[in-house]
Amino acid sequence: MLRKLVRLSLAVALLCVASGALRAAEGISDSEVVFVQIAAMNGSAASLGQGMSQGLRAAFDEVNRAGGVEGRKLRLDPIDDGYDPSQSIAALRRVIHANDRLALIGATGTPTLAALQPAATQAGLPVIGPFTGAAFLRNAALGNVFNLRASYAAEAEEWAHVLVDQRGLKRIAIFYQDDSFGRAGRSGLVQALHKRGLALAAEGTYMRNTTAVKSALIDIRRAHPDAIVFVAAPKALARFVTTAQSLDFQPQMISISFGADSIAQELGQKGTGLLMTQVVPFPGDESLPVVTQYRAALTALDPAVKPSFINLEGYLVGRLAIEALRQTGRDLTRARYLATLRSMTEVELGGLKLTFSGSDNQGLDQVFLTRIDEAGRVVPVAGGF
């Protein structure tokens, strides 16, 4: 009888260990939940990955100080891909093989997400808050991708509205990164201009992870445009602007929401007048409770980190992931978490409402307008917020 009890106890213990191992294998243990971020932490787009990571960690640390979610603390594992799709997919394959993270969160860049998404979808890995407005991620039929930000098409519509409808400019050029990111922005602008009976006056490109802009600048300058739209990384954009100024070529300029704070830092006062669309509220707008909460969480994380559009976006993405954890409850598995994300229709984050549906996997639709002022700061455009 004693031997039977011992064998039964051992069997129960082994079952518990196996169950615990299975949960840990999905990034879930009794005390912790692990998310992975695959993003640029070094190189020309490092400010994007680092900024998203700051915001995510601020949100996670905030909830961890309050005891976590259902007694579990949240942990973020960032993996540097250098803004290189080949490194992105290699990292994701390792993650999928290890099966020890709950979800992919805050991945940055259109070309890198183009490499990541098919494998993540095939593996049933949730993809939360990717830092891109690319159209291919707005397909709700994917079933595992949940966007926070407005699309590049929405930003392009705002560029056309500001430049053409409000300012009466007709000759619009574009400078863009020669990859899926740049081409997504270009496609959106072409469509927005076509609605207004216009076509691109000129276009120029540069290669990702470089600042080789001179040839594109010469081609665009030759067309004498009224305005230039930028779909570019901060360093390349800044090189274009400063080189154009040295040639006394200064049409109206407007940029996509791809590192506004980094652009302002690169340009300083030389960026005065540059317009930039944004896909999250102004990080100084404390009329929104969520912005006040974000600023407090960021200070608690690291008082030296300055508020920015990027780390605000990361914080909001983190809050979305946390809300899905809360709604899933203590009996957490990746499948249940994914089901919760699919079922969420409205998420209220301190005065900011995210809305989803079975045919809409994007929470925010609004686009905000900012500019660089005479002191080199990013400020809201009057009436834009």
Side-chain angles (χ1 to χ4, degrees):
M1 184 67 167
L2 180 59
R3 287 180 179 178
K4 288 183 178 180
L5 287 173
V6 170
R7 284 198 296 270
L8 180 61
S9 297
L10 285 172
V12 170
L14 288 171
L15 183 62
C16 290
V17 168
S19 176
L22 178 63
R23 286 171 173 259
E26 293 186 336
I28 307 162
S29 71
D30 287 340
S31 61
E32 188 177 59
V33 179
V34 185
F35 291 81
V36 65
Q37 180 195 16
I38 299 175
M41 298 296 169
N42 290 286
S44 64
S47 61
L48 309 179
Q50 291 171 4
M52 286 294 287
S53 185
Q54 289 166 354
L56 288 166
R57 287 188 290 118
F60 286 4
D61 284 4
E62 180 182 49
V63 78
N64 286 345
R65 287 192 298 274
V69 179
E70 296 287 347
R72 295 186 178 100
K73 299 294 181 71
L74 278 60
R75 176 161 62 88
L76 179 69
D77 279 348
I79 299 176
D80 180 23
D81 66 6
Y83 197 37
D84 179 342
S86 65
Q87 293 188 43
S88 305
I89 189 60
L92 181 62
R93 284 172 181 154
R94 293 193 298 271
V95 167
I96 291 171
H97 178 73
N99 194 29
D100 57 358
R101 279 85 159 194
L102 177 64
L104 173 64
I105 192 168
T108 61
T110 303
T112 49
L113 262 302
L116 293 170
Q117 176 268 310
T121 299
Q122 184 177 19
L125 187 70
V127 178
I128 305 171
F131 188 85
T132 172
F136 71 89
L137 292 176
R138 268 79 191 155
N139 178 7
L142 292 173
N144 72 312
V145 179
F146 307 92
N147 300 286
L148 178 89
R149 54 164 41 219
S151 67
Y152 289 153
E155 290 194 70
E157 180 61 28
E158 181 67 10
W159 304 331
H161 175 66
V162 171
L163 298 176
V164 180
D165 302 342
Q166 293 186 341
R167 305 198 175 193
L169 306 180
K170 303 296 183 185
R171 295 185 57 77
I172 314 299
I174 186 170
F175 172 68
Y176 63 97
Q177 188 165 285
D178 191 12
D179 62 7
S180 54
F181 161 55
R183 289 189 289 273
R186 179 191 181 279
S187 176
L189 179 61
V190 167
Q191 292 177 34
L193 291 177
H194 181 72
K195 285 171 56 178
R196 293 161 173 83
L198 299 173
L200 286 172
E203 56 187 290
T205 67
Y206 75 101
M207 296 300 295
R208 182 176 61 247
N209 285 332
T210 76
T211 57
V213 306
K214 191 171 183 180
S215 177
L217 172 55
I218 291 170
D219 289 343
I220 291 173
R221 185 187 184 209
R222 192 179 292 126
H224 303 290
D226 300 321
I228 302 173
V229 171
F230 293 112
V231 185
K235 290 185 182 296
L237 185 155
R239 178 65 61 86
F240 187 105
V241 171
T242 55
T243 305
Q245 289 175 353
S246 72
L247 299 173
D248 196 28
F249 174 52
Q250 300 184 63
Q252 177 62 65
M253 298 176 177
I254 189 167
S255 171
I256 200 168
S257 60
F258 198 70
D261 303 283
S262 297
I263 292 168
Q265 185 176 357
E266 291 280 342
L267 286 172
Q269 293 179 324
K270 291 182 179 180
T272 300
L274 174 67
L275 297 171
M276 296 180 284
T277 47
Q278 310 294 346
V279 291
V280 295
F282 190 68
D285 181 14
E286 295 195 67
S287 66
L288 278 173
V290 72
V291 174
T292 302
Q293 294 158 9
Y294 142 77
R295 291 176 69 93
L298 195 64
T299 298
L301 175 73
D302 185 348
V305 175
K306 295 181 180 179
S308 72
F309 289 96
I310 301 173
N311 55 39
L312 173 55
E313 184 169 345
Y315 176 81
L316 295 174
V317 169
R319 289 281 298 269
L320 172 61
I322 289 165
E323 181 58 28
L325 284 175
R326 286 178 172 147
Q327 291 192 26
T328 304
R330 179 68 186 175
D331 193 12
L332 177 65
T333 64
R334 184 183 293 142
R336 289 191 178 97
Y337 188 59
L338 189 56
T340 298
L341 285 162
R342 289 172 179 163
S343 70
M344 293 166 64
T345 55
E346 287 191 0
V347 180
E348 203 280 326
L349 302 177
L352 189 68
K353 182 181 287 187
L354 312 183
T355 58
F356 300 91
S357 72
S359 60
D360 181 6
N361 65 346
Q362 175 182 293
L364 289 175
D365 298 309
Q366 194 170 357
V367 176
F368 309 90
L369 188 63
T370 62
R371 66 178 177 86
I372 298 180
D373 70 5
E374 294 76 6
R377 303 169 302 184
V378 182
V379 297
V381 171
F385 289 86

